Amino acid sequence: MFHVRDISLERRILTTNFLMVFIPALLLFVAGFALLGALRLAGTARQNDFAALFPTQGPALSIQYAIDELRYEADHHKTPRLKSFEDPVAILEKEGIAVSIASKDGTIYVTPGTSAEALQNRALPKDTLLHHGPMMMGSAPMNAPAEHHDGAMHHHDAAPPMMPESERPHDDDAEQLLWTRDGVYFAYTSPVTGTTIRAAGALPFLAQERLTEGPAKHLIEALLLVIVGSAILFIVFLGLYLSRLLTEQILGPLDALRAASARIKGGDLDTPMDASAMRGDEMGAACRDFDAMRAELRDARDERARYDAQRKELIAGISHDLATPLTLLKGYADGLLAGLATTEGKRAQYAQRIAGAATSMERLVNNLRMFSRLELGRMPLHPEPVALVPYFEDCVSEQKDLLADRGLRLTLDTQHADATAAANIDRDAFARVIDNLFGNAIKYKETDTIAMDLIVRTDAENARLTFADHGPGVPESALPHLFELFYRTDAARTDTKKGSGLGLAICREIVTGLGGEISASTTDGGGLTITIELPILNGGLS
């Protein structure tokens, strides 16, 4: 079953970061779209009501634009002309705001029906300013007086109350812009050209009775605050949740790695990592690699322990197997030196015993040297393609009579073998394997003769060589250990003439060096069966 933890870590990080941005943006878009749609469905009158509560567009924006344009024209014309001010003046007069423009040389323009002095006197009182508070420059006024006639809106021509001379804006003030519910007043004297501009009038765009500080505005403000606050909280908690989720998905496997490394540091190589940490992402791959390393370290430890045990067995075996022939050598040599062999026949017997002990020691040393070279790779094999059926037919025909004289009756079965099937073998080394298996059957026979069946079978991939003798066999418990170094079923190692325990270990090294496998089992009816499997060459030999 598919799990999120199986997605790659890179994709999860990218998806998480995308969702942290996309989901809040989507929600804000939906909320804004819904609010805009509600306003549109409410009709023009309701839109005007809403604009009255938050007048940031429409006439207020036009007035601010016209004031900015007048200021700009006053600063950039040392000799001002009426033509330069026509557009902003038209905008203000359209909204019911009277304008006067004067230069150092005199009046340039005054809105018909008023005068520059009247505009100056129409400045708003300071108590009104303090009571209502001037709005920031560029923002829209809170309220504006107006009257309704026949559904149309007309502006008052009456001016706001006169303010005392001591409270009026002074002419030396470079700029004043006042927005209140009672009107707007703008005065500006350019420090560059000296041009003076004044504008004053009632706020032009909505009826006074519709601009009250009623519950509607507070409700809408509260609603907007709730929406914005909820969006902020949602973004914060979504980010925390996604970050925590991603952190757990990263730190969980890291904790498992840390615990596993602590166990390895303490010498525990047998406990595997938690399976839940081995997911399908990058962290899971790292955990699987780490656990594979643990398994390799465990196998290396077990292999080293096995080799250490083999080395101890090797030393003990060499000591024991050399002790017997050395004792014989010393005993018979001392007998000769002491003159115990008084006759020629006795001396010949002593010399023969000494030669036999030396031969046993030589055979042991040669086997030990060969095994060491094979194990260390200092005695490389030289495999070559060999047709197996002809090879064993020649081997049996050459040795059958000699083996019969030693008590081994050998039969060859190649009925289930392809005559052209070939394998890569080293002829000399493999001949040593065959001689060792024949020799073991003869050494451990309990009767005058012993029978052995040599069976060759092949298939498309492997060749199976079976050496099944019908002798005494070995105990079942000994079968897995037959190919270990210096292993003998004679645990007391009392009969060194029957072998040193190196023969089958050498056979294993040769067979595995050729890419094959060797194993031991019990022969049906009694006896020991040694099976060798070798890979077949594709195509065989023509």
Side-chain angles (χ1 to χ4, degrees):
M1 186 172 61
F2 179 78
H3 297 283
V4 174
R5 62 174 179 266
D6 295 325
I7 302 175
S8 69
L9 192 59
E10 179 183 6
R11 289 188 177 181
R12 270 185 283 166
I13 292 175
L14 292 176
T15 303
T16 301
N17 292 335
F18 173 76
L19 290 178
M20 290 174 65
V21 175
F22 175 75
I23 293 179
L26 178 62
L27 291 178
L28 290 176
F29 173 78
V30 171
F33 187 79
L35 184 59
L36 180 61
L39 291 176
R40 290 184 176 275
L41 291 175
T44 305
R46 291 298 179 185
Q47 293 181 40
N48 290 336
D49 289 341
F50 190 79
L53 297 175
F54 301 97
T56 58
Q57 296 182 3
L61 188 60
S62 300
I63 293 172
Q64 183 63 57
Y65 167 77
I67 289 173
D68 291 340
E69 184 70 15
L70 287 175
R71 186 188 299 110
Y72 175 82
E73 295 295 340
D75 288 337
H76 288 78
H77 297 282
K78 292 183 178 180
T79 305
R81 292 179 296 179
L82 178 59
K83 185 176 181 180
S84 302
F85 300 94
E86 286 180 351
D87 291 340
V89 168
I91 293 174
L92 293 176
E93 289 180 345
K94 181 181 178 181
E95 302 297 340
I97 298 176
V99 181
S100 70
I101 305 172
S103 66
K104 295 179 179 180
D105 299 331
T107 300
I108 299 175
Y109 176 78
V110 178
T111 299
T114 187
S115 65
E117 183 178 355
L119 289 178
Q120 183 176 2
N121 291 332
R122 290 175 69 176
L124 298 174
K126 287 185 179 178
D127 59 346
T128 303
L129 174 65
L130 294 175
H131 177 72
H132 298 288
M135 298 185 65
M136 294 300 295
M137 189 185 311
S139 65
M142 292 295 296
N143 296 291
E147 289 183 350
H148 288 281
H149 296 287
D150 300 328
M153 183 173 65
H154 303 282
H155 308 291
H156 283 290
D157 293 332
M162 293 287 291
M163 66 183 294
E165 183 66 28
S166 61
E167 296 182 357
R168 294 178 185 174
H170 297 288
D171 292 339
D172 57 357
D173 291 338
E175 179 178 2
Q176 293 177 354
L177 177 59
L178 304 177
W179 295 82
T180 70
R181 66 166 58 227
D182 297 320
V184 59
Y185 176 78
F186 171 68
Y188 177 70
T189 300
S190 173
V192 179
T193 65
T195 302
T196 299
I197 300 174
R198 297 184 188 280
L203 293 181
F205 45 90
L206 289 174
Q208 175 69 28
E209 62 271 15
R210 296 171 62 187
L211 296 176
T212 59
E213 293 284 345
K217 176 180 177 179
H218 298 299
L219 178 62
I220 294 176
E221 287 178 341
L223 180 61
L224 290 176
L225 288 175
V226 169
I227 292 175
V228 173
S230 300
I232 293 174
L233 289 177
F234 181 80
I235 292 172
V236 171
F237 283 107
L238 177 65
L240 291 176
Y241 170 75
L242 293 177
S243 298
R244 182 177 179 181
L245 181 64
L246 186 61
T247 300
E248 290 177 352
Q249 293 176 355
I250 296 176
L251 293 184
L254 287 179
D255 289 339
L257 282 173
R258 180 193 56 77
S261 62
R263 289 195 298 268
I264 291 176
K265 183 179 180 181
D268 181 8
L269 297 173
D270 298 316
T271 304
M273 286 190 63
D274 187 358
S276 62
M278 301 181 190
R279 305 175 306 200
D281 59 1
E282 295 86 344
M283 295 302 298
C287 291
R288 287 193 297 274
D289 292 342
F290 189 88
D291 196 61
M293 180 191 69
R294 175 201 60 80
E296 291 181 1
L297 290 174
R298 179 200 60 198
D299 295 342
R301 179 202 61 185
D302 295 343
E303 187 72 11
R304 183 178 64 183
R306 186 175 68 84
Y307 273 111
D308 289 342
Q310 286 182 346
R311 292 296 178 269
K312 293 177 181 178
E313 183 71 18
L314 174 64
I315 294 173
I318 291 175
S319 299
H320 188 281
D321 289 348
L322 288 177
T324 300
L326 282 174
T327 301
L328 290 174
L329 283 173
K330 187 175 182 301
Y332 286 115
D334 289 342
L336 288 175
L337 293 174
L340 297 178
T342 56
T343 63
E344 190 68 28
K346 198 128 179 127
R347 285 194 293 271
Q349 182 183 6
Y350 277 29
Q352 194 174 25
R353 296 290 178 85
I354 291 173
T359 300
S360 297
M361 292 179 62
E362 181 182 23
R363 183 176 65 251
L364 175 63
V365 171
N366 287 338
N367 286 339
L368 184 62
R369 182 186 298 114
M370 182 176 185
F371 178 83
S372 298
R373 288 180 177 178
L374 286 171
E375 191 178 34
L376 296 175
R378 296 179 181 176
M379 186 176 177
L381 300 174
H382 303 284
E384 58 180 298
V386 174
L388 295 177
V389 171
Y391 176 83
F392 281 101
E393 288 176 346
D394 293 341
C395 177
V396 170
S397 64
E398 291 175 1
Q399 299 190 50
K400 187 173 184 179
D401 293 339
L402 295 175
L403 294 174
D405 293 341
R406 298 172 59 188
L408 179 64
R409 301 192 310 272
L410 184 63
T411 58
L412 176 64
D413 181 2
T414 60
Q415 294 181 4
H416 302 284
D418 184 356
T420 62
N424 275 327
I425 62 173
D426 183 319
R427 289 179 178 270
D428 294 335
F430 202 73
R432 187 181 184 93
V433 172
I434 296 173
D435 289 342
N436 185 278
L437 297 179
F438 291 161
N440 282 344
I442 294 172
K443 281 188 295 185
Y444 292 100
K445 62 183 177 64
E446 295 177 348
T447 58
D448 293 337
T449 61
I450 185 175
M452 173 178 281
D453 299 323
L454 175 53
I455 304 170
V456 181
R457 288 187 174 89
T458 62
D459 55 29
E461 296 181 354
N462 296 298
R464 179 185 292 267
L465 314 175
T466 303
F467 298 81
D469 68 46
H470 299 276
V474 299
E476 287 284 341
S477 59
L479 292 176
H481 307 287
L482 287 181
F483 301 98
E484 294 178 3
L485 188 64
F486 276 99
Y487 180 82
R488 288 200 314 219
T489 54
D490 176 19
R493 308 183 68 85
T494 56
D495 192 357
T496 59
K497 292 181 180 179
K498 289 188 176 182
S500 60
L502 281 172
L504 289 179
I506 292 173
C507 291
R508 182 195 63 190
E509 291 296 322
I510 293 175
V511 172
T512 55
L514 295 174
E517 296 179 358
I518 187 169
S519 60
S521 60
T522 300
T523 306
D524 294 339
L528 177 65
T529 297
I530 302 296
T531 302
I532 298 175
E533 290 190 5
L534 295 173
I536 289 293
L537 295 177
N538 293 331
L541 291 180
S542 57

